[in-house]
Amino acid sequence: MIEVIQRRGRCVEAASGASVAVVHRGELVALRGADVETTFRSAAKPFQLAVSLEALGDPELSAEDLAVGAASHSAEPFHVARVEALLRRFDLDVEGLRCGSHAPTHTPSAEAILRAGQSFTALHNNCSGKHTLMLAACARNGWDSNYLPPEHPLQRRIHESLARWMAHDPYSVTDGCGVPTFCQPLSAAARAWGVVASAMAAGGADDPWSDRLGRIGRAMALRPDLTSGTGRLDLEVVRASREEMAVKVGAGGLFCVALPERELGVAMKVHAGTMEALPALVAWALETFAPGAWEEPEAWSLRRVTNVAGLEVGEWAVRATPRGRAR
């Protein structure tokens, strides 16, 4: 059993159950907590991107392009500029993106747009890179530009490919950005991320899918600033790593990791979906199942509980008992 707890002083103020699944070369080697069903949300982005690349005929894209294509970015100016460059590359207009608009999650960037008297657009949606490449795939293949429905040819390809990588046929629900996302056991999500880890380890593999996923994973490891954003968990985890890793947060308390040197895929879930609890769970999971791969920053701010004045009044931590299943 795993719980992520929030302490305020000596008092445990909140506790959320959690699970961690670890896969090595397709085999589930560890499971702590229940193998809960979870949505994949943004942790599906490397796989959605790989299918878009295949549909595009594998264009030559930089690591920066691939990173923002798999991103849940914060819409800082350098994120927006990279998405705009992708739109120009494929001769697309922002109006064709169907992700909707929202304020940048990077507060200073949102405030700068408002001060300038401008409006938020689909460029500022954290999923705009993924949607740009989905729209580009539709244009190249003559598919309907409304790529949102599950029955769309691109979405069917994504579903079929993920079922293969997970060794499980997920069912679909609708993501926050409008495209299908997937529901599966946590172990199936870990298995898919294990495929990314093995693809990253393989280098320039002969298998085209391994090549695509490997390039995407390496781009995410190289440019986590484009995949994530200033002060966010994904970016801080990669920056504190001691070996190559690709990581991705998913809404609803999900976090996935590919560790190519160990060929491990790790998926973890805070059952209550509490995103503030994730840093403590990520630190515990990496220390437990991949010792030496990562070093927690000293006095890590993402673990701290602060009051309105910014004073530290507590912390997030993990309370684990020996119960659980390991193989």
Side-chain angles (χ1 to χ4, degrees), residues 42-46 48-49 64-75 79 82-83 86 125-131 133 177 216 220 223-229 232 234 247-249:
S42 286
K45 284 178 175 172
Q48 293 165 314
L49 174 57
E64 291 77 13
D65 292 332
L66 295 175
V68 84
S72 298
H73 62 72
S74 297
H79 296 123
R82 180 58 57 179
V83 176
L86 272 179
N125 188 300
N126 72 94
C127 302
S128 61
K130 173 181 76 175
H131 280 250
L133 288 158
C177 63
I216 293 166
M220 295 175 73
R223 292 302 305 270
D225 56 323
L226 282 166
T227 302
S228 180
R232 289 175 50 198
D234 310 52
V247 310
K248 192 75 192 68
V249 70

Side-chain angles (χ1 to χ4, degrees), residues 33 44 66 112 114 156 159 173 225 241 245 288 303:
L66 295 175
L114 292 173
R156 288 204 309 267
H159 189 133
V173 294
D225 56 323
S241 63
M245 63 173 65
T288 302
R303 265 196 193 257

Side-chain angles (χ1 to χ4, degrees), residues 98-298:
R98 296 180 180 265
C99 51
S101 60
H102 62 65
T105 54
H106 182 247
T107 301
S109 295
E111 291 173 344
I113 292 168
L114 292 173
R115 283 196 302 270
Q118 299 172 349
S119 300
F120 306 130
T121 74
L123 285 170
H124 303 109
N125 188 300
N126 72 94
C127 302
S128 61
K130 173 181 76 175
H131 280 250
T132 295
L133 288 158
M134 285 185 172
L135 182 61
C138 293
R140 181 181 188 271
N141 290 277
W143 295 331
D144 190 331
S145 61
N146 179 9
Y147 49 82
L148 299 181
E151 61 272 15
H152 189 280
L154 179 64
Q155 303 303 339
R156 288 204 309 267
R157 289 187 183 199
I158 292 170
H159 189 133
E160 292 165 1
S161 298
L162 260 176
R164 184 172 67 252
W165 293 321
M166 289 179 175
H168 174 86
D169 188 14
Y171 64 91
S172 297
V173 294
T174 305
D175 209 337
C177 63
V179 299
T181 191
F182 310 94
C183 299
Q184 63 288 307
L186 189 67
S187 59
R191 188 169 291 107
W193 274 83
V195 172
V196 175
S198 294
M200 292 170 69
D206 292 334
D207 173 51
W209 286 112
S210 179
D211 180 64
R212 291 178 194 113
L213 288 171
R215 286 189 291 119
I216 293 166
R218 289 189 293 274
M220 295 175 73
L222 181 67
R223 292 302 305 270
D225 56 323
L226 282 166
T227 302
S228 180
T230 301
R232 289 175 50 198
L233 178 59
D234 310 52
L235 177 59
E236 293 206 5
V237 168
V238 175
R239 282 186 170 171
S241 63
R242 291 180 166 181
E243 62 188 56
E244 187 179 37
M245 63 173 65
V247 310
K248 192 75 192 68
V249 70
L254 181 69
F255 196 88
C256 296
V257 184
L259 293 157
E261 291 184 21
R262 305 166 194 244
E263 291 194 58
L264 290 181
V266 184
M268 58 199 82
K269 169 81 172 181
V270 178
H271 299 169
T274 308
M275 301 302 284
E276 296 90 345
L278 268 179
L281 182 61
V282 171
W284 180 86
L286 288 173
E287 180 182 350
T288 302
F289 299 109
W294 186 76
E295 183 175 6
E296 182 175 341
E298 188 175 352

Side-chain angles (χ1 to χ4, degrees), residues 8 304-314:
R8 186 173 294 269
R304 298 168 60 215
V305 176
T306 57
N307 67 7
V308 176
L311 299 175
E312 184 172 354
V313 296

